[in-house]
Amino acid sequence: MPFVAKESRSSSSLLPPAVSNSNWVRSGSGWEKFIALRENLNRHIKRLARDSSNSRVILSNINNRNQEVESSQDQNKENESNRKKKSIDHQSCYIFLPRGGAMKTGFYFTIGEVLNRLDFSGAVHDHRRFNYVCRILEIITESWLFALSGLAQKNFFFILEESVTVVSETKLYVNRVKKILQDISKNLVKNPHFHVGSPKTWNKWLDLVKDWLQQLNAIDYTPTESGVDSLQLMDLPPDCLNRIVSSLANAKDIVNFGLTCKYIHEISEYTLRWERLCRFHFTQQQITSVSPKFLDSDNEVNWKGVYSRLCHRHGTRELYNNVLNLCNHCNCIYWTDGGHPCSAEITPEFSTRQFSDVVVTQQNLTPEEFMKLWPTP
């Protein structure tokens, strides 16, 4: 009698029960969390609806259907706001880097696939990832733009479109996105014979960039209407104003905030505030090399002048709330709040004696370190 065994290559046999019972699902691009897969699908549908003529009707229908689905599947959740926050926090996009390079493994990732697999277009909707994505866009604009392939160009400009949409809705980070678009416009006109693709394609991107710049320039900062008896900024005590200015990490924001009135200008010129900025962004050796040149008549250091000189020479540090990480065990790149299916957690052999002394660590990748992982054009 013939024996019919279970297919050994089935998807359920590839993972242990700890993973098969979790919320990871297998798609065409790899293992993804079900919440992230659903959010990406909804975001794509909403983008198509935004481009159509009857977008309001379609969006309302999509929102109604999403609410019905969520109410049936998430009955035990507290409310809708917690659901949206949790869906953002648990978006999982990752890439397993091949060990040994393309010669040994036989495959590699291009920058266009990386931008798509790590969901940079969805990351701009999270304010914790926005500055990180903007810095990567700046690096691509400076060194990679002229050599991007067709897929990479499509993904790159789609991320820009989503960034402009977020900025138009929130009215935040306007100057940064505007500077990126201005640099892209200059590079599109510069050296057109070295660009990958036809001139018609690059002219199309140039027209899009000009439209986005006009859209950002048309943002109207209308002040809110307040009554006579409402609390104004100048009604706050000096300690509160000092705390507000201290929360600004960018020197340009402090200077511009000090230009509003004479009283706030005096608060923004506190010596201790500029000294803290200098010691945060620069090393003691860098400060010592410049500080003797900024001594006044009372033999006190002009810390604002020291900061300006060091900023011109070395630049400033930029902090990010949510970055990409590199797992040392499975060689996976993933977002900090997204997680990844690490083999140290899902492989039963990891708990045996031969793997018991392995310590799983992660490395925070700066935008510069992340771009160095891919071959430069």
Side-chain angles (χ1 to χ4, degrees), residues 229-241:
D229 298 334
S230 61
L231 184 65
Q232 303 294 330
L233 179 64
M234 299 307 299
D235 297 335
L236 298 176
D239 293 339
C240 294
L241 292 175

Side-chain angles (χ1 to χ4, degrees), residues 158-198:
F158 177 63
I159 297 171
L160 282 174
E161 182 183 2
E162 293 295 322
S163 302
V164 173
T165 302
V166 171
V167 169
S168 301
E169 294 176 354
T170 61
K171 298 182 180 180
L172 299 175
Y173 314 106
V174 178
N175 292 331
R176 182 158 195 175
V177 177
K178 189 182 298 184
K179 185 178 182 303
I180 294 175
L181 294 176
Q182 291 173 353
D183 295 339
I184 293 175
S185 179
K186 294 178 182 178
N187 291 334
L188 290 176
V189 179
K190 178 181 175 183
N191 298 327
H193 300 289
F194 295 95
H195 294 162
V196 176
S198 63

Side-chain angles (χ1 to χ4, degrees), residues 126-268:
D126 189 350
H127 66 277
R128 297 169 296 177
R129 302 180 182 180
F130 191 87
N131 286 326
Y132 191 89
V133 176
C134 284
R135 179 54 189 157
I136 292 179
L137 294 179
E138 291 173 356
I139 296 175
I140 295 177
T141 303
E142 295 171 0
S143 306
W144 294 63
L145 184 61
F146 67 94
L148 292 179
S149 63
L151 177 62
Q153 292 177 26
K154 181 179 178 181
N155 294 334
F156 176 74
F157 284 97
F158 177 63
I159 297 171
L160 282 174
E161 182 183 2
E162 293 295 322
S163 302
V164 173
T165 302
V166 171
V167 169
S168 301
E169 294 176 354
T170 61
K171 298 182 180 180
L172 299 175
Y173 314 106
V174 178
N175 292 331
R176 182 158 195 175
V177 177
K178 189 182 298 184
K179 185 178 182 303
I180 294 175
L181 294 176
Q182 291 173 353
D183 295 339
I184 293 175
S185 179
K186 294 178 182 178
N187 291 334
L188 290 176
V189 179
K190 178 181 175 183
N191 298 327
H193 300 289
F194 295 95
H195 294 162
V196 176
S198 63
K200 184 178 180 180
T201 302
W202 288 94
N203 291 331
K204 182 187 71 173
W205 299 134
L206 183 60
D207 295 337
L208 279 176
V209 171
K210 291 180 179 179
D211 293 340
W212 293 336
L213 282 173
Q214 293 178 358
Q215 182 178 349
L216 294 181
N217 292 329
I219 294 179
D220 184 17
Y221 297 94
T222 304
T224 57
E225 296 182 358
S226 57
V228 180
D229 298 334
S230 61
L231 184 65
Q232 303 294 330
L233 179 64
M234 299 307 299
D235 297 335
L236 298 176
D239 293 339
C240 294
L241 292 175
N242 189 20
R243 186 62 180 269
I244 293 174
V245 179
S246 300
S247 63
L248 301 176
N250 192 351
K252 293 182 179 179
D253 295 337
I254 298 176
V255 173
N256 293 331
F257 187 57
L259 296 176
T260 55
C261 67
K262 183 178 180 180
Y263 181 65
I264 297 181
H265 177 73
E266 294 177 356
I267 296 177
S268 64

